[in-house]
Amino acid sequence: MVVLSLFIMNKSGGLIYHRNFNSGLQSLSANDYLVLAGTFHGVHAITSLINPVNNTTEAGIRGGPPRGLEVMESEMFRMQCFQTLTGIKFLVFTEPGQPNVDVVCKKIYEIYADYVMKNPFYQIEMPIRCEQFDRELGKFLKGKQ
Amino acid sequence: MPIYSFYIFDRHCECIYKRQWLPRDQLLPRTPTTPNPPNTGDRRTSLAPSVALDAAANPAELRGRSGLSNKDDTKLVFGVIFSLRNMVRKLSGPEDNFISYRTPDYKLHYYETPTNLKFVMLSDVKTNNLRVVLHQIYVSLYVEYVVKNPLSRTIEHPKGKGVAVDLFEAGLDGFIKQIST
């Protein structure tokens, strides 16, 4: 599995972590990445609004699992969005047609919980600067290739 | 695999054709239905006639859980595809194209012609890629019945004028029936 890039966004749409693992996507300026993350945050909210299937009977509005965009495909990449119940979004960019990316997302979430959330110096909602997290992430995604 | 709705946007970001097959509020209690007004460009029909709703008579009926009217829907759909298309182009270069996205409830398929005409279809989650179908609709229905229509004098279709031709709509219905079975 080739993971091209990883974005982590906090619940208000701010980009708190970004890393390219393989070439395949253009490298943009830090500001552009912030704008992209913000745009995606809005789009994600709208995609759950234009839902043509009415699910009011299900417990899917408040407190239920998020129902926004999950997978986006383009000709050159595939993006999987995993939103945690606390509103943090993990965007994993892979090559097109890649199966089982959701498993990778969950594993990245686990690494995040272990090495970011348990880091006593990490301030919540702020950009992630944790060496241990970088290392573990690199190790996990390298092993996947 | 049911198809929920279909939209065409022109290069001026305007929705020139819209069609919905299953009302988004199909689970709400219904009032007796009346036939659709024939003059509107956007129609709401259903494969099962009993669930067709009249947009003009019962605007409240057409509201989803979010309280959005039917018209706002189109704008939101356009906003989403526009943003995603730009995002994709920014991330992987101008020759990349956005194809589709999926949420837990529905899937949106997208096809853009070289003339910036945008075809969008909302379908069930389990549907395979409908890009080929959208291309087919463009080539064998839109071009044949709308572009080549000798009675339509304009090239552009402001406010959807001249798109909802009988032949086009009948062809579209046939197409949708084919894929929904």
Side-chain angles (χ1 to χ4, degrees), chain A:
Chain A
M1 170 169 310
V2 179
V3 174
L4 303 175
S5 188
L6 167 74
F7 285 46
I8 303 178
M9 288 147 66
N10 65 17
K11 61 181 174 223
S12 43
L15 188 66
I16 53 172
Y17 187 79
H18 167 255
R19 186 164 160 197
N20 282 334
F21 292 94
N22 286 287
S23 60
L25 296 180
Q26 311 253 335
S27 45
L28 306 167
S29 69
N31 203 25
D32 281 343
Y33 283 122
L34 278 173
V35 172
L36 277 181
T39 315
F40 181 78
H41 184 73
V43 168
H44 187 272
I46 299 175
T47 51
S48 58
L49 277 185
I50 53 177
N51 184 359
V53 192
N54 199 318
N55 279 323
T56 29
T57 45
E58 291 173 28
I61 306 165
R62 236 164 241 275
R67 308 199 74 83
L69 193 153
E70 263 184 354
V71 179
M72 179 180 82
E73 280 175 84
S74 89
E75 281 172 10
M76 295 183 194
F77 66 85
R78 177 186 197 275
M79 185 195 76
Q80 178 100 23
C81 171
F82 170 63
Q83 189 181 15
T84 68
L85 286 175
T86 46
I88 293 158
K89 287 190 199 71
F90 293 84
L91 304 190
V92 177
F93 293 82
T94 60
E95 288 182 324
Q98 187 80 57
N100 300 331
V101 188
D102 46 337
V103 185
V104 178
C105 289
K106 297 241 162 73
K107 182 69 190 168
I108 293 174
Y109 183 34
E110 246 172 66
I111 298 176
Y112 167 83
D114 278 345
Y115 298 101
V116 179
M117 296 318 283
K118 292 181 188 170
N119 181 342
F121 299 106
Y122 175 68
Q123 277 180 312
I124 211 143
E125 304 272 300
M126 292 313 253
I128 299 170
R129 285 183 226 290
C130 305
E131 259 181 51
Q132 185 77 11
F133 176 63
D134 283 344
R135 246 197 319 272
E136 289 297 321
L137 209 56
K139 220 191 283 171
F140 169 61
L141 291 174
K142 286 246 165 65
K144 278 268 154 201
Q145 281 175 31

Side-chain angles (χ1 to χ4, degrees), chain B residues 103-167:
Chain B
T103 81
D105 297 314
Y106 69 97
K107 193 168 174 181
L108 180 143
H109 309 263
Y110 177 74
Y111 171 70
E112 186 175 348
T113 70
T115 49
N116 280 16
L117 216 62
K118 299 170 180 72
F119 289 75
V120 179
M121 199 173 259
L122 264 67
S123 76
D124 188 55
V125 186
K126 293 183 200 78
T127 320
N128 290 331
N129 198 352
L130 289 182
R131 208 168 183 226
V132 192
V133 174
L134 290 175
H135 178 74
Q136 281 290 316
I137 290 176
Y138 171 59
V139 171
S140 57
L141 296 177
Y142 188 84
V143 171
E144 288 299 322
Y145 301 135
V146 179
V147 177
K148 292 187 184 170
N149 183 1
L151 295 176
S152 124
R153 290 193 202 115
T154 51
I155 302 166
E156 310 258 302
H157 301 277
K159 298 211 169 89
K161 210 176 136 220
V163 182
V165 193
D166 283 351
L167 275 171

Side-chain angles (χ1 to χ4, degrees), chain B residues 59-138:
Chain B
E61 277 285 292
L62 297 180
R63 281 158 204 273
R65 63 163 186 238
S66 47
L68 290 165
S69 76
N70 215 11
K71 226 175 179 178
D72 293 335
D73 247 28
T74 330
K75 289 176 190 161
L76 288 181
V77 169
F78 184 80
V80 167
I81 56 163
F82 184 81
S83 310
L84 285 178
R85 187 185 84 121
N86 288 352
M87 223 177 111
V88 164
R89 296 232 163 138
K90 202 157 197 188
L91 274 168
S92 64
E95 62 283 350
D96 196 5
N97 273 314
F98 160 56
I99 298 174
S100 69
Y101 78 74
R102 179 170 66 75
T103 81
D105 297 314
Y106 69 97
K107 193 168 174 181
L108 180 143
H109 309 263
Y110 177 74
Y111 171 70
E112 186 175 348
T113 70
T115 49
N116 280 16
L117 216 62
K118 299 170 180 72
F119 289 75
V120 179
M121 199 173 259
L122 264 67
S123 76
D124 188 55
V125 186
K126 293 183 200 78
T127 320
N128 290 331
N129 198 352
L130 289 182
R131 208 168 183 226
V132 192
V133 174
L134 290 175
H135 178 74
Q136 281 290 316
I137 290 176
Y138 171 59

Side-chain angles (χ1 to χ4, degrees), chain B residues 23-40:
Chain B
R24 55 191 287 169
D25 48 358
Q26 53 185 311
L27 299 178
L28 290 179
R30 276 177 229 115
T31 49
T33 57
T34 43
N36 281 322
N39 54 346
T40 46

